Amino acid sequence: LGRVAAERIIADNALPHWGGRVIETISRAEINDLLDDVIEEDGVALARELRKHLSKLFNWSADRGHLVASPMVGMRRPELGYKARERVLSMDELRLIWDAAGSLGRKPGEGSYPFGPAYRLLILTGQRRSEIAELQRGWIEHERRAIEIPAARYKTKRPHVVPLSQPAWELIQSLPRWNGGDCVFSTDGGPGRPAGSRPISGFSKAKELLDAKVAELGQKKGLPPVEDWTVHDIRRSVATHMARLGVPIDHIERVLGHVLGGVAGTYQHHAFFDEKRAALELWGRQWS
């Protein structure tokens, strides 16, 4: 997740309990209790992210002398461990998710807008959820018809350019421009904040609504249910199906923003823009 998303996770889940507290007074037991509550109310995935970002916060505080030691050192929470996933959604499953996303609402005031367009852009680009959720108008390059995510907001700490296929460009062009902020996907900014000032959050609830729509559409079409899938599975599935369409693996890696190792990663300064464009246009034609 990006920095903004990490701050929001802490603000939404930890500050209501610990706001105004001196950090050295927060105990290991309180942290465990908070994680237990988040697991119970919002699930393991959010608790896992919260634990990760709290650990970074306490380690930073200890490193700068605000704490003698982080209360999370050696904390054992095996249920929050990361497990490598290999789930690849079939094209039928992706199409069900695509169609269901279209029914979540395409305009402000409709259903669960703007999660429908956000899910569709995830399918069209293969980017991470946080990168799409936090998308800014200033990152959109109209001349090149692309998105450039700045290094400060990207996981690899390098800028990442994503050419937009025709359907991806049309989707972005169809979205409203907010008067109060630069966020592409936004509803309102919360109390005292205008629409557009804060990226969307609440993907867990949106995913529940999307799953319900997927199940409903699948039943109508006589298709098997889409089971055991996560939003990040979309990214893995996009890469897999691009390879099936004949896109070279190194071009797919560039689309995904992965840093290549060895000599290629150190000395290859070619941006692969045209290759990424060709890959995403080919993929975009599956959805146009």
Side-chain angles (χ1 to χ4, degrees):
L1 290 175
R3 176 180 58 81
V4 173
E7 291 174 355
R8 187 165 64 244
I9 286 174
I10 291 175
D12 290 348
N13 296 279
L15 284 186
H17 300 276
W18 302 335
R21 292 272 299 276
V22 177
I23 193 168
E24 63 188 19
T25 67
I26 300 171
S27 69
R28 186 187 190 90
E30 288 178 293
I31 297 169
N32 274 310
D33 288 344
L34 175 61
L35 293 173
D36 289 341
D37 289 343
V38 173
I39 291 173
E40 179 69 25
E41 294 179 10
D42 298 294
V44 170
L46 179 59
R48 183 183 297 125
E49 290 298 316
L50 178 60
R51 180 195 180 186
K52 177 177 69 176
H53 297 304
L54 285 176
S55 181
K56 290 180 180 179
L57 172 63
F58 283 112
N59 286 338
W60 180 90
S61 299
D63 184 58
R64 281 153 181 77
H66 303 301
L67 293 171
V68 175
S70 167
M72 297 183 70
V73 170
M75 180 181 284
R76 297 181 182 276
R77 298 296 302 246
E79 77 277 26
L80 298 182
Y82 285 89
K83 298 179 181 178
R85 289 181 58 86
E86 298 180 352
R87 175 80 157 94
V88 173
L89 297 158
S90 69
M91 285 300 294
D92 283 341
E93 289 175 323
L94 279 176
R95 288 194 176 98
L96 267 180
I97 294 168
W98 172 273
D99 291 342
S103 66
L104 287 183
R106 302 187 187 187
K107 298 178 181 179
E110 290 183 357
S112 296
Y113 181 87
F115 287 98
Y119 276 114
R120 284 192 163 187
L121 194 59
L122 286 170
I123 292 173
L124 289 168
T125 63
Q127 302 308 298
R128 297 177 183 87
R129 186 185 74 180
S130 61
E131 294 152 9
I132 297 302
E134 297 173 11
L135 185 60
Q136 304 284 307
R137 285 283 173 188
W139 301 355
I140 300 172
E141 299 184 1
H142 291 263
E143 186 173 339
R144 288 201 295 174
R145 208 181 71 191
I147 295 167
E148 179 167 348
I149 305 172
R153 302 289 289 276
Y154 198 65
K155 184 175 181 179
T156 64
K157 305 305 179 185
R158 302 180 184 184
H160 177 49
V161 177
V162 184
L164 294 169
S165 63
Q166 185 63 32
W169 181 248
E170 290 174 357
L171 186 153
I172 284 183
Q173 290 296 96
S174 71
L175 298 173
R177 290 178 175 272
W178 306 105
N179 293 327
D182 201 34
C183 294
V184 173
F185 293 109
S186 182
T187 48
D188 60 73
R193 295 180 179 178
S197 63
R198 186 176 181 180
I200 52 172
S201 60
F203 268 94
S204 296
K205 293 180 180 179
K207 172 69 160 49
E208 292 176 4
L209 293 172
L210 181 62
D211 282 337
K213 291 289 186 181
V214 167
E216 180 184 332
L217 287 175
Q219 191 172 29
K220 287 180 179 178
K221 295 181 179 183
L223 295 172
V226 182
E227 298 178 335
D228 185 33
W229 76 280
T230 69
V231 176
H232 193 74
D233 292 338
I234 293 175
R235 177 173 165 86
R236 184 184 308 106
S237 304
V238 169
T240 300
H241 291 298
M242 277 187 176
R244 177 181 56 79
L245 292 170
V247 178
I249 296 299
D250 58 332
H251 297 179
I252 296 173
E253 292 290 294
R254 296 289 181 166
V255 167
L256 298 179
H258 291 164
V259 175
L260 302 184
V263 174
T266 304
Y267 297 106
Q268 179 56 272
H269 298 296
H270 178 37
F272 282 82
F273 183 85
D274 292 338
E275 291 83 352
K276 289 192 288 186
R277 165 77 71 200
L280 287 165
E281 289 289 0
L282 177 61
W283 177 242
R285 287 197 288 275
Q286 314 305 307
W287 308 99
S288 57

